[in-house]
Amino acid sequence: MTIDWVCKHHSDLGKEQLYAILQLRAEVFVVEQKCLYQDIDGQDLEGDTCHLMGWDGDRLVAYLRLLDPELQGGDVVIGRVIIAPAARGTGLGHELMTQALKQAGKHWPEVPIYLSAQAHLQGYYGRYGFVVVGEEYLEDDIPHIGMRRS
């Protein structure tokens, strides 16, 4: 699998890219994880939010969004982290995180990065310098924990 990494400001997304993003998010978060929530939350198109996409040909197989720190209390916020079901177990998640940190540093150098991790993934994100901040909480009946990388 050869991945083409693309990071775009929301204003530069094509309609096909946006459709693929929303389709993958619905497939994983709503259908697979059975989380009935408002995925389209108004943050995808705000400020300088960027969308990091990993494409295998014309298939979106990895995705996350980087929310503008000016709108998030000073931290870049990584969210909606997804690996397509067919691409799991290939190490693609590590490539996605490496690309995310690279893009966050490029767009917002020296700015702390925050994410809301599923609690069982603390060790995974810890490998990238994230440390727990706050207490564990439930989000859509899934235990989560805040993590920050300074």
Side-chain angles (χ1 to χ4, degrees), residues 67-129:
L67 297 177
D68 184 343
E70 287 192 25
L71 301 174
Q72 299 297 316
D75 292 349
V76 175
V77 176
I78 292 177
R80 303 294 198 261
V81 180
I82 305 175
I83 300 299
R88 293 184 190 147
T90 63
L92 191 54
H94 293 292
E95 289 182 53
L96 179 61
M97 283 309 300
T98 299
Q99 289 291 325
L101 297 176
K102 177 180 164 185
Q103 291 298 326
K106 175 182 167 186
H107 293 284
W108 302 284
E110 308 294 318
V111 175
I113 304 169
Y114 177 87
L115 53 81
S116 176
Q118 290 187 5
H120 73 278
L121 295 173
Q122 289 178 49
Y124 173 81
Y125 290 115
R127 289 185 245 173
Y128 296 95

Side-chain angles (χ1 to χ4, degrees), residues 8-23 45 53 55 60:
K8 287 193 171 183
H9 187 274
H10 66 79
S11 62
D12 296 325
L13 286 174
K15 68 180 181 236
E16 293 83 5
Q17 290 169 322
L18 182 58
Y19 184 89
I21 289 167
L22 297 175
Q23 183 178 41
L45 305 178
M53 302 165 280
W55 295 89
L60 181 62

